[in-house]
Structures are given as structure tokens and as C-alpha cells.
Amino acid sequence: MISPLLANLYMNRFLKYWRQRDCSLTFQAQLVSYADDFVILSRGHAAQAKEWARSTLARLGLTLNEEKTALRDARRERFTFLGYAFGPHCLRRDGSWYLGASPSSRSVQRCKAAVSELLVAGNMAPWEEIRDKLNRLIRGWTAYFSYGSCALAYRELEHYVWHCVHRFLRRRHKADRGGNPDLDVFGRRGVLRPKMLRVSPWAGR
């Protein structure tokens, strides 16, 4: 495994070759990169662009990750990049389709796993400390995933946070079972609602 600094050096050389060979014109493509990850958006020359990327990386002593690399028709299939799913999305209110972006299922699952790890039964820290860590997690995730169609992912995460917090508090305070669980978790207990953070990024600070 190469260091991030070395990875960035190789990627800069890769991008330099892309520009020198005028690949944007050759493949009718746009290359988007971040750190050592990249995606090539091509009109009709995706296979050729992929082969060029493979051979160019080989010249640099690197190997294209075939497990993570695939050809997709973005008008009909989704592809993931930097935690987002790009491609066709369905508008729930009327069933129409549009091209857009949303948090990928894997990104949502990773956030859920982090929530579960924090709210384990054996966590005996004061609730205020746990709540603050949970809110930082929620705020950071929603700050990154604030582009595109996020409503469904926010709703899924919010429901999961509510369920985990409610269960965690019921285990800790066995007699505290009354009232409205939703108002308790996102009101009295001070947990942030993901959907509210998109409207007000500074909420809870």
C-alpha cells in the first residue's frame, strides 16, 4: 500500500498525461478526480478511455483496481463515486425519472454502523457526552452529503438514529418509558434531526 503523498504524486502524473494526450477530445470525456480516485465521463468512448487508463497506470507502475472499475451507461445505470450514487433517480411523487445524485446505500450503512458503535449497551459515559459525539457524527455526515437528492437517505438515517437512541435510553433508564419517543429523542434529549440540518447547517451549535 502506497502512502497518500505518493498516491497524489502518481495521480498528478496521470492527470498530466491525460492533458498532454488531449484525452478529453480523443475520448469526448471529462475526468474527475479526488486523491487517488477518479471517474471518466465519456460520450461513446468509455471502453477506450478505460483501456488508456489501464495502460497509463501500468506505465507508472500501478494497477487499475478491476473490482472497483466498471463501465456504466449513466443514463440507465447508477455508479458510485466518493460516497455518492450518480445516475437515474425516480421522483416519488409522480414516478418520473431524472439524472441526479444521492448518498449511496453503502454510505448510509456506514453511518448507521457508526451510530450503533456509539450507542452500544456497554457505553457508560454520561448522556451529554454521548449526545455530543452523536451530534458531531450526524452533523458531519449531513454536511458532506448535502448535494443532490438527500431526503430519502436523511429520513432513513433519522429513523435509525431515533430507534437506536430510544432503545439505548430505555436500557439505561428502565423506568423512563412514557411520553412521546420522537419528541423525547429529538427534543428533550437534544439529538439533531438530519433533515433539519440541511435547512440550517448551523443548527445545534
Side-chain angles (χ1 to χ4, degrees):
M1 184 176 181
I2 62 176
S3 68
L5 182 62
L6 194 56
N8 286 335
L9 177 62
Y10 282 130
M11 179 53 66
N12 287 336
R13 292 178 63 185
F14 179 79
L15 296 175
K16 181 179 178 180
Y17 289 148
W18 174 273
R19 292 190 298 268
Q20 288 179 340
R21 305 300 189 277
D22 204 9
C23 292
S24 295
L25 181 61
T26 302
F27 302 124
Q28 292 295 293
Q30 179 72 34
L31 189 152
V32 182
S33 67
Y34 181 82
D36 61 346
D37 205 359
F38 66 91
V39 62
I40 299 175
L41 308 173
S42 172
R43 289 182 178 273
H45 303 280
Q48 296 94 317
K50 179 183 177 182
E51 185 55 39
W52 180 90
R54 180 189 289 110
S55 62
T56 302
L57 288 172
R59 289 175 55 192
L60 296 172
L62 303 175
T63 303
L64 189 67
N65 189 330
E66 297 293 346
E67 292 184 0
K68 292 179 59 178
T69 305
L71 298 178
R72 293 283 187 270
D73 182 347
R75 293 167 297 184
R76 297 180 176 86
E77 304 172 275
R78 289 191 185 186
F79 68 92
T80 58
F81 183 58
L82 302 180
Y84 277 91
F86 296 91
H89 287 66
C90 184
L91 199 61
R92 296 186 70 185
R93 66 171 176 263
D94 60 10
S96 61
W97 289 86
Y98 65 97
L99 295 180
S102 61
S104 69
S105 296
R106 187 175 181 182
S107 298
V108 176
Q109 293 305 316
R110 283 180 173 174
C111 189
K112 286 183 178 181
V115 171
S116 295
E117 185 177 348
L118 178 62
L119 297 174
V120 293
N123 190 343
M124 303 304 295
W127 166 246
E128 290 75 15
E129 179 181 326
I130 297 173
R131 178 204 60 205
D132 290 347
K133 288 183 178 179
L134 178 61
N135 284 343
R136 284 196 294 271
L137 172 64
I138 295 171
R139 186 184 291 114
W141 193 88
T142 53
Y144 181 81
F145 291 104
S146 59
Y147 170 78
S149 304
C150 302
L152 290 178
Y154 281 23
R155 190 176 303 127
E156 181 180 350
L157 179 60
E158 182 170 311
H159 178 76
Y160 189 79
V161 168
W162 171 85
H163 173 75
C164 289
V165 171
H166 185 54
R167 183 179 59 183
F168 178 83
L169 293 174
R170 287 188 65 176
R171 284 197 303 255
R172 176 173 285 194
H173 309 287
K174 294 182 173 55
D176 189 11
R177 296 172 181 266
N180 187 317
D182 185 73
L183 293 178
D184 183 51
V185 170
F186 297 113
R188 184 164 65 96
R189 299 295 182 175
V191 178
L192 297 177
R193 285 184 181 273
K195 66 182 179 183
M196 297 303 295
L197 291 178
R198 192 175 192 189
V199 176
S200 178
W202 305 103
R205 292 197 171 186

